[in-house]
Amino acid sequence: MKEYIENVIAPRIKGDGGWVEFVSYEKGNLLLIFRGECSKCIVLDRCCTWIEQEVKRDLGKDMKVIGRRVRPFFWDVN
């Protein structure tokens, strides 16, 4: 699953200025961290649903994508 996220999904997301990192895949739950433009995207849920559909189509697996936004550390500096 990690290779699929890094090689198939991540390049598509980078095209929009964001990036995604694989964290874990356990018991049908895929945990991903979203950074860059994704960290402030208001439609991240749609992206997670899209990833679920892509995985089902390409790998034949049903899963739930859990996305966490992580802002760059320098956004917290005043």
Side-chain angles (χ1 to χ4, degrees), residues 5-58:
I5 296 301
E6 291 174 351
N7 297 322
V8 177
I9 300 298
R12 295 179 188 171
I13 290 176
K14 285 180 184 175
D16 288 330
W19 77 83
V20 62
E21 296 174 13
F22 174 88
V23 176
S24 66
Y25 176 60
E26 298 175 5
K27 299 179 183 177
N29 292 313
L30 176 60
L31 179 58
L32 302 173
I33 290 178
F34 291 88
R35 298 181 189 268
E37 292 299 312
C38 294
S39 68
K40 53 188 173 179
C41 181
I42 60 172
V43 293
L44 184 62
D45 292 340
R46 288 186 197 171
C47 185
C48 290
T49 299
W50 169 75
I51 292 170
E52 290 170 1
Q53 293 169 349
E54 293 294 297
V55 169
K56 176 140 177 108
R57 185 193 70 203
D58 293 344

Side-chain angles (χ1 to χ4, degrees), residues 60-74:
K61 296 184 180 191
D62 287 314
M63 68 179 53
K64 175 71 178 161
V65 173
I66 302 164
R68 293 196 182 144
R69 291 179 176 94
V70 176
R71 301 180 314 165
F73 71 92
F74 54 83

